[in-house]
Amino acid sequence: MAQRNPDPTDPAAGPVPADALAGYLRAQATEFLRALRLHRETGAGGAASEASVEAARALRRAARRVSASLHTFQPVLDPDWSEAMRPELAWVSGTLALEHAYASRLERLLLALHRLSGVTAFAPPGPGTAGPRGGAPRTAAGPPGVAVRTAGPVTLTAAATSGPPRNPTGHPAPASGGVAGPDDATAGPSGPTGTAPAPASRTATRRATDGTAGTAPGAATGTAGAARTAAGVSAAAHRAAGSSPAPGAATATAPAPDRGSLTVGAAKAGALLDRQLTLARTRAHSTALQALGSSRFHGIADRVAVLASEVPLSPAAAGADLRPLAEAARERLADAVAALPLLTAGSPYNAEALVHGLSPDPAPHPQDAPWHQVRLLLRLHRYAREVLHAQGGEDAYGDVRLLAAGEALDRHRDASEAAAAAAQAARTPRIAPATAYALGVLHADQRHEVEAARYAFQRSWQRDVVGTL
C-alpha cells in the first residue's frame, strides 16, 4: 500500500510560508512560457499537429493553476496585480478550451449514437464490415447515394436524400439500417428464383427511411395488380409463380418501427450534429488563433514572463502562513458539497437527472449548476494543496482520492453539455421525425450518464474524500 502524505492543512503540521507560493507561481509561469514557445514552433494552423494540441493543453493547464492560486491566496499577493491578472488568465484558458470541448462533445455523441444503434463504432469500414444490425456488409465508400461522414475514430454513414441507395447491379438496395422487405430475402435478377425485386425493395427502402410499417406490393408474378401485406406477400408470390421460397424468405418480417426509426434516424442525427459541432469547432479554432495573435494576449504573456522571475507579494506576506487560506478553500468546497443531493445521487437509477427533460427552455439544466460549482471548488482545493505540497517537494498529483472525485465531475460536465447539444440539435426546424426521435433518445442517454457521474462522485466522496480533507 502506498504511503499517505501528511495533510498540510492539518494544524499539527508546520507553517507554510509565502515563499512556497512564490516558487509555485514561478514554476507555473515558466511552464506557461515553455508551452507557448512549443505552440508557436509546432504551428497552429488549420491542420494543427498533435504536438500543437498538447502545447495548447499545457498552456491552459498552467493558466488555470496560476489563476486559481491568485484567487485562493490573494491576501498575500499584490491586490491590484492579482485582480488584473485573474480575469486575463481565465480568458486565455476558456478561449483555448472551446475547440477541444467541441471536438470531444462530437466524438462523445457519435459514439453514443453507434452504441444505441447496436453498431461497432471503431470497426474499420471495409468489404467484411457488417451493417448496423447484422445486415449485408458495407464497403468503405458506401453504395451510391450514401454519404460517409467521419469524425475522429467514429465513422457514421448517413443516407443521402437524393433517393434510395442502389447496389452495384443498378437495382435499389435495402436501407442502411439492415431493414429488408419480404422479397429482399430472395436473390435478385441473377438469383435462383428470378423474381423481380424492384417494387418490394423500393417500398422497403421508403419504409425504413420513414420509420413506418406500411404495406408492400407483391413481387411480379404474372398476375398483375395484387397488393398484399408484408406478412404474407412472399409466400403468395412464390405460390403464384410455381416456385419454392428461398430459405428464410417466408419468415422475413419487418422490424419494430421504433428500432428502425432509431437506426435510420441515428445516421441523420449524427450528420446534423456533425455539421453543427464541426462548425462550432471551426469558429472556436479561428477565435483561438485570433486571440493568440492579439495584443491582449501579448500583454498577458509579458506579465507572465515577469512573474517567472518576480512574484509581487503584499507586505502582509512576511511571516504569513498559507494553511488558513487553503483551509478556507476546503471549507468552501465542503459547504458546496453539503448542499448537493448526495442521498438521492447515492441511489442507482434514481432518474433525478431526467427531471425537466422535456422543458422547452433552452437554458442549461438548472439542477446541474450546483454540481458544476462543486467541480470548480474542487479544482481550487486541489491546486491549493499543490501549493502547500510544493514546499516539501511532495507530489500533490498523487492524491488519487481527489482525482477520482474530479474525474467524476468532469464526466458530469461533459455529459451535461452533450445532452444540451443533442437537445439544441433537436430544435432544428423541419427535421424528420426519425431524426428527432434519435436525438431524443440520445439526450436521455446523456442525462443517464449525468446520473451515473453523480453516483460515482457520491461514492468517491463518501468513501475516500470526506475523512481525509
Side-chain angles (χ1 to χ4, degrees):
M1 180 180 295
Q3 183 177 1
R4 179 176 298 180
N5 292 328
D7 189 355
T9 61
D10 188 355
V16 180
D19 291 341
L21 174 63
Y24 180 82
L25 290 176
R26 284 194 295 266
Q28 295 302 322
T30 303
E31 184 66 25
F32 182 94
L33 297 176
R34 184 182 296 111
L36 179 59
R37 183 179 66 253
L38 179 61
H39 189 270
R40 290 173 176 173
E41 291 175 353
T42 55
S49 62
E50 183 65 26
S52 177
V53 174
E54 183 60 33
R57 188 177 294 112
L59 201 62
R60 288 164 38 209
R61 185 165 54 243
R64 285 199 312 264
R65 281 167 167 77
V66 174
S67 178
S69 300
L70 298 184
H71 174 80
T72 303
F73 302 103
Q74 183 179 2
V76 299
L77 297 169
D78 182 80
D80 296 335
W81 174 82
S82 60
E83 286 294 334
M85 278 291 291
R86 277 174 50 202
E88 296 298 289
L89 292 172
W91 170 73
V92 171
S93 177
T95 302
L96 296 179
L98 283 178
E99 180 183 0
H100 175 72
Y102 285 124
S104 300
R105 196 172 306 155
L106 176 60
E107 181 179 359
R108 180 187 186 93
L109 289 172
L110 293 184
L111 285 173
L113 281 173
H114 281 78
R115 171 171 49 82
L116 294 171
S117 300
V119 182
T120 303
F122 289 93
T129 304
R133 296 176 62 188
R138 296 181 301 190
T139 61
V146 176
V148 178
R149 297 180 178 271
T150 304
V154 183
T155 302
L156 182 65
T157 305
T161 57
S162 59
R166 296 180 175 272
N167 56 30
T169 63
H171 294 283
S176 59
V179 182
D183 291 338
D184 291 333
T186 63
S190 60
T193 60
T195 307
S201 299
R202 195 173 294 113
T203 305
T205 303
R206 287 198 299 267
R207 184 165 62 253
T209 305
D210 297 337
T212 58
T215 59
T221 62
T223 303
R228 299 175 177 88
T229 61
V233 64
S234 182
H238 285 292
R239 283 197 303 269
S243 61
S244 59
T251 59
T253 58
D258 57 340
R259 285 293 295 175
S261 298
L262 176 60
T263 302
V264 175
K268 296 183 178 180
L272 177 60
L273 290 169
D274 189 6
R275 288 193 300 269
Q276 293 183 349
L277 293 179
T278 301
L279 177 61
R281 179 187 180 182
T282 303
R283 291 175 176 173
H285 182 73
S286 301
T287 301
L289 291 180
Q290 293 175 2
L292 292 176
S294 64
S295 58
R296 180 181 181 182
F297 179 79
H298 285 292
I300 297 173
D302 292 340
R303 280 180 279 182
V304 172
V306 174
L307 178 63
S309 58
E310 181 182 357
V311 178
L313 298 175
S314 67
D321 186 6
L322 300 181
R323 290 180 304 156
L325 300 176
E327 177 65 17
R330 187 201 67 82
E331 291 177 354
R332 288 192 295 268
L333 171 63
D335 293 341
V337 172
L340 294 178
L342 292 183
L343 184 61
T344 303
S347 301
Y349 309 106
N350 56 76
E352 182 68 20
L354 297 176
V355 177
H356 305 297
L358 295 178
S359 173
D361 189 4
H365 216 284
Q367 62 174 276
D368 294 343
W371 296 86
H372 296 334
Q373 181 65 18
V374 168
R375 174 180 167 272
L376 296 178
L377 293 176
L378 179 61
R379 176 176 290 177
L380 291 176
H381 173 60
R382 282 181 49 222
Y383 295 161
R385 288 176 60 89
E386 290 180 8
V387 173
L388 300 184
H389 278 291
Q391 182 192 21
E394 297 172 347
D395 187 8
Y397 297 94
D399 193 341
V400 295
R401 301 178 301 275
L402 293 180
L403 289 177
E407 289 174 357
L409 292 177
D410 286 343
R411 293 196 303 271
H412 178 275
R413 177 205 56 184
D414 294 342
S416 174
E417 293 177 349
Q424 182 64 30
R427 297 186 182 96
T428 304
R430 298 183 299 276
I431 60 176
T435 306
Y437 174 73
L439 290 170
V441 173
L442 182 61
H443 175 268
D445 174 75
Q446 293 304 303
R447 294 307 302 178
H448 279 297
E449 293 289 335
V450 169
E451 176 185 314
R454 293 177 182 177
Y455 177 75
F457 172 79
Q458 188 271 347
R459 288 179 60 86
S460 175
W461 182 266
Q462 296 290 351
R463 182 179 57 191
D464 296 327
V465 179
V466 71
T468 59
L469 290 181

